[in-house]
Amino acid sequence: ILDIAHGEWSRDGWIAPHNSYLHILYRAGIIGIAYIISIVILLFSMINKSLKLKSISGILLCGILINWLAAANFLVILELPFNAIPFWSLFGLTYAYLFKTKAA
C-alpha cells in the first residue's frame, strides 16, 4: 500500500524473513541445516567445557552467545557484517579460550 520496499522486492525478489535461521535455510538449503546444527553442537560443547572447568568467564561468554543466537530468531544478524563480525569474532575467541592447548 505504501510502496515502501518496492525497490528491494524488484531487485531481490525476496525480503529477508527477519529470522537468521530461516534466512540461512532459504539461502543454503541442506547445507544450511548442517551449518546451524554445527553451530549448536559447538555451543553445547563450549558450555560443557566451561562447566567442567568451572570457568565463570567461559559461562558468561557462552551466555552472551546464547543471547545473540536467541536474538537471531527475530533478526537477520548472523549474516549482516555489522552484527556478524562481532558475533563470529566472539564465537571464535570463546572457542579458543575454552579449548586452548598448552604448548610443550
Side-chain angles (χ1 to χ4, degrees):
I1 295 172
L2 297 175
D3 201 29
I4 293 172
H6 177 69
E8 189 171 350
W9 276 101
S10 64
R11 183 185 70 234
D12 298 335
W14 178 259
I15 294 178
H18 299 292
N19 185 322
S20 283
Y21 306 114
L22 289 178
H23 190 70
I24 291 170
L25 185 62
Y26 171 74
R27 296 284 185 185
I30 299 293
I31 296 171
I33 292 171
Y35 174 71
I36 292 169
I37 291 171
S38 66
I39 290 171
V40 171
I41 289 171
L42 278 174
L43 182 62
F44 279 126
S45 68
M46 288 190 294
I47 292 168
N48 189 24
K49 183 72 170 188
S50 62
L51 290 175
K52 282 183 183 178
L53 294 174
K54 296 179 182 175
S55 170
I56 299 296
S57 300
I59 292 169
L60 291 174
L61 288 170
C62 289
I64 293 169
L65 293 173
I66 290 170
N67 180 25
W68 234 323
L69 291 174
N73 283 316
F74 308 105
L75 302 167
V76 181
I77 63 170
L78 298 178
E79 302 88 16
L80 300 175
F82 48 88
N83 287 322
I85 292 171
F87 173 78
W88 292 115
S89 299
L90 182 67
F91 195 88
L93 289 172
T94 304
Y95 187 82
Y97 172 72
L98 293 172
F99 292 98
K100 61 185 172 193
T101 58
K102 294 183 179 180

